[in-house]
């Protein structure tokens, strides 16, 4: 029985083509009070791989390299045969090795995706301006307190920005819509189906369709925007063959082919509209896709770092809280003035 359980628990490599780039990213959490390491990225990855090898970790788990962004924060990527969760199983080995070249590293975590959503009908009298006791920062606290497991990593913003909201209020309108990020794709799907509560009131939640670097347009098959932002159907390009038609209208002209409209088949000559390569536009080997994912990943890291810095300023240094993205004071600042 124990032998069967051991066999069941053994890690096995992910089959080729079934492991996405996002599932392979691991980020390092560090104590920002300590100075950044001056060691090269190669030194860090080499030290970790050596430690994993000595611990007789499965050969497909070690990392392919470490990258450092402009703020000095580190992340790594596993081999195509392993996921971030597989590497996390050896957390203690990885952290101990990483700390030999960067003493500030305290933990590692998977690259958890954020999902932007929007909600409508938030009253100006309760959430707009200094006299509301915190504004949108108060709404953020209410959403996190009233919905188990919900984490909002960034400040909430009014859709359209402060000027648009003030214009609506001047026109006599009582409420407007907000947008914010929900941490974790699974949690995002949950709130999209079940909604969220704020101050005892339940609100419907919708996906916020905005163009980010790794957005893929179903009309033009290009990265960086979505269908709602696509100029017109004249921009249509097939994801499968780069032809001037929608992917759903792609058809095989070979007599007897059983592929339905919009489906790929062995008769098709794959072509990417973005890099002109011999593959479909969403293929993982596409350099344009990889560039889009890396750009989006860097933006998300920057968002996380800025939010972390905001919390450090508020708690550790006990300085005046920064304002939210809509220009309103934080809850703490409003209470101080009150």
């Amino acid at each position: 029985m124990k032998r069967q359980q051991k066999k069941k628990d053994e890690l096995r490599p992910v089959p080729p083509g079934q492991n996405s780039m996002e599932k392979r990213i691991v980020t390092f959490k560090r104590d920002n009070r300590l100075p950044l390491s001056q060691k090269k990225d190669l030194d860090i990855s080499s030290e970790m791989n050596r430690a994993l090898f000595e611990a007789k970790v499965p050969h497909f788990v070690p990392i392919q390299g470490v990258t450092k962004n402009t703020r000095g924060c580190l992340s790594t990527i596993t081999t195509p045969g392993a996921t971030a969760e597989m590497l996390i199983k050896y957390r203690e080995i990885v952290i101990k090795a990483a700390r030999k070249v960067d003493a500030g590293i305290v933990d590692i975590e998977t690259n958890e995706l954020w999902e932007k959503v929007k909600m409508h009908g938030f009253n100006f009298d309760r959430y707009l301006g200094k006299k509301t006791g915190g504004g949108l920062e108060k709404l953020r606290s209410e959403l996190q307190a009233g919905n188990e497991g919900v984490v909002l990593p960034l400040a909430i913003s009014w859709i359209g920005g402060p000027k648009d909201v003030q214009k609506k209020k001047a026109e006599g309108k009582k409420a407007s819509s907000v947008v914010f990020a929900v941490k974790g794709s699974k949690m995002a799907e949950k709130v999209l189906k079940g909604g969220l509560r704020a101050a005892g009131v339940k609100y419907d939640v919708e996906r916020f369709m905005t163009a980010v670097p790794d957005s893929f347009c179903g009309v033009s098959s290009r990265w960086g925007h979505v269908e709602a932002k696509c100029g017109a159907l004249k921009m249509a390009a097939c994801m499968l063959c780069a032809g001037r038609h929608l992917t759903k209208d792609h058809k095989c002209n070979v007599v007897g082919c059983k592929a339905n409209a919009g489906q790929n088949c062995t008769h098709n000559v794959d072509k990417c509209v973005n890099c002109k390569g011999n593959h479909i536009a969403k293929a993982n080997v596409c350099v344009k896709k990889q560039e889009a994912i890396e750009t989006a990943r860097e933006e998300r890291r920057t968002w996380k770092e800025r939010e972390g810095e905001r919390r450090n300023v508020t708690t550790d240094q006990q300085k005046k809280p920064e304002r939210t993205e809509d220009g309103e004071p934080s809850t703490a600042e409003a209470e101080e003035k009150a």
Side-chain angles (χ1 to χ4, degrees), residues 136-203:
L136 290 181
E137 191 66 19
K138 176 172 67 175
L139 172 59
R140 182 184 181 192
S141 298
E142 291 175 353
L143 289 171
Q144 292 186 134
N147 302 274
E148 185 178 0
V150 171
V151 177
L152 311 185
L154 300 174
I156 298 176
S157 300
W158 294 104
I159 292 180
K163 292 183 179 180
D164 182 66
V165 172
Q166 292 293 346
K167 182 179 178 181
K168 288 181 179 179
K169 187 176 181 181
E171 293 173 349
K173 296 181 180 179
K174 301 295 184 181
S176 189
S177 305
V178 297
V179 59
F180 53 91
V182 177
K183 186 176 182 180
S185 55
K186 290 183 179 179
M187 180 56 70
E189 291 300 324
K190 180 179 179 181
V191 302
L192 285 168
K193 292 179 180 179
L196 287 171
R197 289 187 176 277
V201 179
K202 186 176 180 180
Y203 296 84

Side-chain angles (χ1 to χ4, degrees), residues 89-101:
K89 289 180 180 290
Y90 303 97
R91 174 184 270 107
E92 293 183 6
I93 297 173
V94 174
I95 295 174
K96 184 178 179 180
R99 284 177 61 83
K100 290 183 178 180
V101 287

Side-chain angles (χ1 to χ4, degrees), residues 33-34 43 84 142 149 165 276 314:
R33 294 173 297 182
L34 297 178
D43 295 330
E142 291 175 353
V165 172
K276 313 306 179 186
T314 304

Side-chain angles (χ1 to χ4, degrees), residues 15 48 120 130 167 216 250 322:
M48 285 192 289
H120 307 289
K130 299 178 180 180
K167 182 179 178 181
F216 185 80
H250 175 87
E322 294 182 0

Side-chain angles (χ1 to χ4, degrees), residues 130 309-324 328-334 336-337:
K130 299 178 180 180
E309 290 172 359
R310 188 188 71 81
R311 287 197 299 268
N312 289 338
V313 168
T314 304
T315 58
D316 296 341
Q317 301 178 13
Q318 296 182 347
K319 291 183 179 180
K320 184 178 179 180
E322 294 182 0
R323 293 174 175 263
T324 60
E328 294 186 331
S330 66
T331 306
E333 182 181 356
E336 182 180 337
K337 290 184 177 182

Side-chain angles (χ1 to χ4, degrees), residues 213-230:
D214 58 350
S215 297
F216 185 80
C217 179
V219 174
S220 68
S221 297
R222 297 183 184 277
W223 300 96
H225 68 103
V226 292
E227 290 90 336
K229 301 291 184 179
C230 195

Side-chain angles (χ1 to χ4, degrees), residues 108-124:
I108 57 176
E109 60 184 357
T110 56
N111 186 43
E112 192 165 20
L113 297 179
W114 300 352
E115 186 84 34
K116 274 198 170 184
V117 298
K118 60 182 178 180
M119 297 167 66
H120 307 289
F122 287 97
N123 195 282
F124 292 148

